[in-house]
């Protein structure tokens, strides 16, 4: 029996979905000890998860010798800001670096997405200089281009590119910006300002704020329901819970550890909360659709509405529904089974005239687009090595296999979808 359309569509979209988040920056850098400091800090700041959750990105790596003297002098929150400037939200390989329109461009970095980058602070200036050099620097007016392109480390076109630059990009003022201790953050004031006054009042009146504050230094993530969430239909009457149950509910809205949005996007396993213990699992799971992250408790979903604070080691998010643990409120009811289909007599098919033998059926496959050129652009400076020569060798064959596999999977998925649409 031929496979149904729905099955083919499912397989096509499943194959396409497998392409998303196919890279892992930690694995890509593990064969390059000269970037171990850069890689370690990507993991400590959870920026690695943010990189892995994105589909088109360029990482500007810096060697240990050039990076350590700067990072060793600053707290983790400042280090995260510095490294965020080295994560460009676009794909750049050696060929593209020499094809920059007008020779210079300002490219958006991950730091720009934090909301804490005024003006051009979250952009990098990439300029193709004469003599084969490509320079990098902060896009803040008056900044110097003090870093230059060294070589391509590894890439998965057109998903992720890792290239080495000679020196860290340091934006004016980013190193001297005040970095308050996590213990100085007023959690309740932040929650009230973000429209989570009811939740703020509950954690204070039940003493949970003290647990939150004592956990901050080691890392804490809070999911605060906004005030509208407490007014929604179906919200349980919290006055009918015991004091211990209310405390468990409030602890369920926090995770022991710094878990930014990028980490939530890439986490597949259940996540423990502050309520996890001998009384039950009290865990949550996450799903992602684009940039939207939804939390699941076993009772109902809750969408992350906004980022209130993301400053290592504390992350606070507002959510649009209360997180109701199944340990307190039971599991969500299973959907009712669908009724048995009622069979109806099939109409007698009418016979259509046979097609002429000379008629040709249209091909169910759409024409494949031409592959993008892989050669360096004509006129590239003579002393600039080719893209193939510039790519470092450790681990490159494995990445090449992964990239080739992705292309094959994408082609299969495209062919299936095209044939279904044309049938």
């Amino acid at each position: 029996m031929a496979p149904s359309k729905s099955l083919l569509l499912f397989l096509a979209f499943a194959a396409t979905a497998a392409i998303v988040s196919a890279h892992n920056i930690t694995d890509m850098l593990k064969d390059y000890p000269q970037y171990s400091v850069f890689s370690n800090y990507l993991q400590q700041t959870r920026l690695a998860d943010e990189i892995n959750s994105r589909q088109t990105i360029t990482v500007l790596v810096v060697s240990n010798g050039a990076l350590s003297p700067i990072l060793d002098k600053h707290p983790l929150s400042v280090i995260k800001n510095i490294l965020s400037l080295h994560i460009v939200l676009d794909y750049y390989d050696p060929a593209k670096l020499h094809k920059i329109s007008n020779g210079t461009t300002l490219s958006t970095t991950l730091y720009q997405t934090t909301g804490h980058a005024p003006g051009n602070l979250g952009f990098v200036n990439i300029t193709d200089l004469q003599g084969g050099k490509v320079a990098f620097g902060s896009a803040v007016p008056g900044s110097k281009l003090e870093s230059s392109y060294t070589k391509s480390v590894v890439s998965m076109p057109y998903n992720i590119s890792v290239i080495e630059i000679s020196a860290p990009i340091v934006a004016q003022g980013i190193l001297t910006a005040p970095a308050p201790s996590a213990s100085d953050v007023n959690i309740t004031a932040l929650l009230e300002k973000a429209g989570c006054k009811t939740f703020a009042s509950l954690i204070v009146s039940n003493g949970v704020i003290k647990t939150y504050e004592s956990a901050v230094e080691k890392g804490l993530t809070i999911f605060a329901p906004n005030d509208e969430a407490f007014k929604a239909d179906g919200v349980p009457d919290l006055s009918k819970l015991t004091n211990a149950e209310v405390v468990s509910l409030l602890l369920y809205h926090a995770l022991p550890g710094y878990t930014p949005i990028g980490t939530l996007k890439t986490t597949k396993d259940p996540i423990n909360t502050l309520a996890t213990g001998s009384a039950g699992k009290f865990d949550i799971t996450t799903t992602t659709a684009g940039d939207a992250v939804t939390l699941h408790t076993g009772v109902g979903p809750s969408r992350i509405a906004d980022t209130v604070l993301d400053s290592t080691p504390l992350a606070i998010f507002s959510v649009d529904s209360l997180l109701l643990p199944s340990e307190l409120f039971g599991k969500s009811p299973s959907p009712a089974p669908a009724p048995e289909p009622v069979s109806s007599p099939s109409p007698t098919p009418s016979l259509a005239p046979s097609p002429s033998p000379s008629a040709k059926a249209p091909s169910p496959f759409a024409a494949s687009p031409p592959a993008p050129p892989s050669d360096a652009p004509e006129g590239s400076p003579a002393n600039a090595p080719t893209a193939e020569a510039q790519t470092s060798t450790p681990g490159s064959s494995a990445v090449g296999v992964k990239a080739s596999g992705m292309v094959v999977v994408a082609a299969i998925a495209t062919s299936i979808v095209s044939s279904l649409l044309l049938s």
Side-chain angles (χ1 to χ4, degrees):
M1 180 182 294
S4 65
K5 272 190 177 182
S6 59
L7 176 59
L8 289 174
L9 279 172
F10 171 78
L11 293 174
F13 288 119
T16 305
I19 300 172
V20 181
S21 299
H23 58 266
N24 185 308
I25 186 62
T26 303
D27 288 344
M28 296 174 77
L29 293 179
K30 68 181 181 181
D31 293 328
Y32 301 90
Q34 65 269 40
Y35 309 127
S36 60
V37 172
F38 191 97
S39 181
N40 287 338
Y41 276 120
L42 286 183
Q43 296 173 65
Q44 290 185 47
T45 58
R46 303 295 193 272
L47 288 173
D49 293 326
E50 187 67 45
I51 293 171
N52 295 341
S53 71
R54 293 179 176 268
Q55 298 180 49
T56 304
I57 204 158
T58 299
V59 181
L60 309 176
V61 296
V62 185
S63 66
N64 297 341
L67 190 64
S68 295
I70 292 180
L71 300 190
D72 288 347
K73 302 176 183 178
H74 300 282
L76 198 59
S77 57
V78 174
I79 291 173
K80 181 177 182 179
N81 293 339
I82 295 172
L83 295 185
S84 295
L85 277 175
H86 293 72
I87 303 170
V88 182
L89 306 184
D90 198 353
Y91 180 84
Y92 286 95
D93 57 13
K96 185 174 179 179
L97 288 175
H98 292 290
K99 288 182 179 179
I100 296 174
S101 300
N102 302 319
T104 186
T105 185
L106 301 185
S107 234
T108 308
T109 70
L110 195 60
Y111 187 48
Q112 181 66 22
T113 67
T114 64
H116 305 302
N120 288 343
L121 191 60
F123 295 82
V124 293
N125 182 337
I126 306 175
T127 300
D128 187 6
L129 302 175
Q130 294 182 353
K133 294 184 177 180
V134 178
F136 294 81
S138 169
V140 174
S143 299
K144 297 180 180 179
L145 299 176
E146 298 181 326
S147 184
S148 59
Y149 169 81
T150 304
K151 63 182 178 181
S152 174
V153 179
V154 65
S155 64
M156 294 172 63
Y158 293 87
N159 185 219
I160 181 171
S161 174
V162 181
I163 61 179
E164 180 187 291
I165 58 176
S166 61
I169 300 171
V170 181
Q172 183 178 354
I174 199 170
L175 297 180
T176 57
S181 170
S183 59
D184 296 333
V185 175
N186 190 326
I187 294 176
T188 54
L190 287 173
L191 293 176
E192 290 173 354
K193 186 177 180 180
C196 305
K197 293 181 179 179
T198 303
F199 183 76
S201 176
L202 283 171
I203 62 175
V204 170
S205 61
N206 288 276
V208 174
I209 184 61
K210 295 181 180 179
T211 304
Y212 282 7
E213 291 171 345
S214 64
V216 166
E217 288 294 344
K218 293 183 179 180
L220 180 68
T221 303
I222 301 173
F223 302 114
N226 55 39
D227 291 337
E228 293 301 316
F230 287 91
K231 303 174 184 177
D233 294 337
V235 173
D237 185 356
L238 302 186
S239 65
K240 294 183 179 180
L241 300 179
T242 65
N243 289 339
E245 289 173 335
V246 172
V247 169
S248 294
L249 175 63
L250 298 175
L251 291 176
Y252 187 66
H253 285 74
L255 310 181
Y258 171 65
T259 312
I261 199 72
T263 303
L264 292 171
K265 286 180 180 179
T266 57
T267 300
K268 305 301 180 185
D269 298 325
I271 308 171
N272 288 343
T273 67
L274 289 183
T276 301
S278 58
K281 292 194 302 181
F282 283 94
D283 55 21
I284 62 172
T285 57
T286 63
T287 57
T288 303
D291 287 331
V293 177
T294 301
L295 311 175
H296 301 273
T297 68
V299 175
S302 181
R303 183 183 62 88
I304 292 182
D306 198 9
T307 300
V308 178
L309 177 71
D310 184 354
S311 179
T312 312
L314 177 62
I316 303 177
F317 303 99
S318 63
V319 294
D320 60 8
S321 302
L322 268 70
L323 302 180
L324 303 177
S326 58
E327 287 81 357
L328 296 179
F329 301 97
K331 296 184 178 180
S332 56
S334 300
E340 290 291 335
V342 179
S343 58
S344 56
S346 301
T348 303
S350 58
L351 298 177
S354 300
S356 170
S358 61
K360 294 184 179 180
S363 171
F365 300 103
S368 300
S374 58
D375 296 334
E378 184 177 355
S380 294
N383 60 341
T386 64
E388 182 178 359
Q390 289 167 327
T391 302
S392 300
T393 55
S396 60
S397 60
V399 174
V401 171
K402 291 181 181 179
S404 300
M406 289 168 59
V407 173
V408 172
V409 171
I412 294 173
T414 303
S415 299
I416 294 174
V417 174
S418 299
S419 62
L420 290 172
L421 292 176
L422 292 174
S423 60

